[in-house]
Amino acid sequence: MPRIPSSLLKTAFSRSPLLPLLLPPCRTLSSALLELRWLREHAISLSQNPVHRRRHGRQGWRTLLWRYCEERKRGRPLQYILGTQPFGQVEVKCRRGVLIPRAETEAYVTHLGALLLSAGRISNSAPPLRILDLCTGTGCIPLLLHVQLSSSVMFQDRNISLMGIDLSQKAVTLARQNLRWNVQQGNLNPAALEDICFLKEDVLSPDSKDLIAALDSPKWDILISNPPYISPHAFNHSTSRSVRKWEPKTALVPPTSPSHNPSRPLLADGGDFFYPALLSLASRVKAKVLLLEVADLAQAKRVAALAQERRYWVGMEIWRDWPSERSGDDEETVEVGGERIAVKGQGNGRAVFCWTEEGRRLIEP
């Protein structure tokens, strides 16, 4: 990481003695000023909170603010300090041990919701729309989809059922807190308390009786997953120090497998470990639409090739970070398994989107 020019540090100090502490994680003065404002607002609010006073004594907001800035300098994520992260129309509580939601995830979830609404093929007389989110983390994906869909006239008289599953009990507990919190804050319709549930299960144990009971009856329309997909090498050499130090490695890097075959090109990257299991589950629950987050375009092509092998999906796209943004006049495609697959949006490769013939009716006008 390049050093911060002394001239920038001097300018920052002239604005506030705290700003030089924020420059290492923020890198720019404008970002540091924005974070300082958020941290100051949080410190003032917390210093006036009676519960915080009982637990920590009467700390002044300036003392709290200085401590927060020191923590940011050491790399602690802003979301863990503030305790929340906006995610579309919901506010997600963030705690150490659970992955912080990313803007790119928000972008493709929002795009999926927009596709479902714009297709106009969902009638109130149809069965409940069932959406399954595997490796749910904070629960941000089911929460945002519920906001998008339940606020539409199309869904006002139709049930929506969303389930989030995660191996981490800490994640499941936080997801349930986020559900209640957003209903209390008015971000979610109270019906969400009945429409959304979160379970602790291991998606890599398909023979688990509890997992089978949860998934097999009835079937699911849409399966989404943001699984651990970073290879051990990429985690050690490409992620930021803040991510490596503060965020849960188990939510980023898949477990190693004794049966892993490095000679097979599709599984050459240790980050691909979850995708065969997710694809198997998608066909098992008769999913009509599948959306899998990936690290980059190279991994997206490998996952798309795995999906092709299943011969279950009739259509497939790769979405970039911002799938709603036009990438130019000419439609971009990549070759996977001898077929041309459309690449939508701008930014890095971020998700693989698949559908069956039944799923086509859910997403196409």
Side-chain angles (χ1 to χ4, degrees), residues 8 48 51 68 89 99 139 148 161 164 216 232 268 347:
L8 181 57
Q48 298 170 349
V51 176
Y68 294 154
Q89 299 98 313
L99 192 68
Q148 285 186 275
S161 179
D216 275 2

Side-chain angles (χ1 to χ4, degrees), residues 54-219:
R54 287 197 298 270
R55 292 178 179 175
H56 304 283
R58 296 180 63 86
Q59 291 179 303
W61 68 266
R62 290 180 177 83
T63 301
L64 288 173
L65 179 59
W66 189 276
R67 190 182 81 201
Y68 294 154
C69 291
E70 287 283 359
E71 290 175 352
R72 279 296 285 142
K73 180 183 178 182
R74 295 194 295 270
R76 186 181 181 193
L78 178 68
Q79 295 88 342
Y80 287 159
I81 297 175
L82 299 180
T84 60
Q85 167 66 28
F87 194 80
Q89 299 98 313
V90 299
E91 184 177 56
V92 178
K93 288 179 177 287
C94 299
R95 300 289 184 268
R96 189 170 186 180
V98 184
L99 192 68
I100 297 169
R102 265 51 176 189
E104 295 82 0
T105 305
E106 176 187 333
Y108 72 67
V109 173
T110 301
H111 188 62
L112 173 62
L115 285 179
L116 294 170
L117 293 175
S118 64
R121 298 291 184 86
I122 302 170
S123 66
N124 291 335
S125 60
L129 184 70
R130 297 174 56 79
I131 301 175
L132 180 63
D133 177 34
L134 303 180
C135 309
T136 194
T138 60
C140 57
I141 291 176
L143 300 187
L144 180 52
L145 281 173
H146 192 279
V147 170
Q148 285 186 275
L149 300 179
S150 64
S151 61
S152 168
V153 174
M154 188 183 305
F155 279 89
Q156 283 185 356
D157 297 319
R158 184 182 179 190
N159 291 331
I160 311 169
S161 179
L162 303 102
M163 177 185 291
I165 293 179
D166 203 287
L167 176 63
S168 164
Q169 183 60 59
K170 184 176 291 187
V172 171
T173 299
L174 183 59
R176 290 168 178 166
Q177 291 175 1
N178 277 321
L179 171 58
R180 294 190 297 269
W181 166 254
N182 278 277
V183 170
Q184 292 169 2
Q185 296 300 304
N187 301 327
L188 277 175
N189 188 305
L193 294 172
E194 299 292 332
D195 297 340
I196 304 174
C197 68
F198 296 103
L199 300 178
K200 179 185 179 299
E201 294 292 343
D202 184 0
V203 301
L204 294 179
S205 298
D207 295 328
S208 164
K209 292 182 179 179
D210 291 336
L211 183 63
I212 292 172
L215 299 185
D216 275 2
S217 180
K219 305 305 181 184

Side-chain angles (χ1 to χ4, degrees), residues 5-53:
S6 58
S7 58
L8 181 57
L9 290 169
K10 183 177 179 181
T11 301
F13 186 83
S14 69
R15 301 286 295 271
S16 168
L18 294 174
L19 279 175
L21 299 175
L22 298 177
L23 280 176
C26 294
R27 307 308 296 173
T28 66
L29 184 58
S30 59
S31 295
L33 283 166
L34 190 59
E35 283 207 6
L36 181 60
R37 188 186 63 151
W38 289 335
L39 292 170
R40 181 185 293 113
E41 291 172 352
H42 182 62
I44 292 173
S45 174
L46 205 58
S47 68
Q48 298 170 349
N49 187 304
V51 176
H52 182 269
R53 286 183 174 182

Side-chain angles (χ1 to χ4, degrees), residues 307-326:
Q308 283 179 334
E309 289 183 354
R310 299 276 165 178
R311 302 188 181 279
Y312 178 80
W313 311 100
V314 302
M316 192 178 305
E317 292 176 349
I318 292 174
W319 290 358
R320 293 188 178 274
D321 289 332
W322 318 111
S324 299
E325 301 294 328
R326 291 181 60 87

Side-chain angles (χ1 to χ4, degrees), residues 271-290:
D272 296 351
F273 181 69
F274 263 78
Y275 295 109
L278 293 172
L279 288 163
S280 293
L281 283 171
S283 57
R284 178 173 183 168
V285 302
K286 306 295 188 217
K288 302 168 187 174
V289 173
L290 174 69

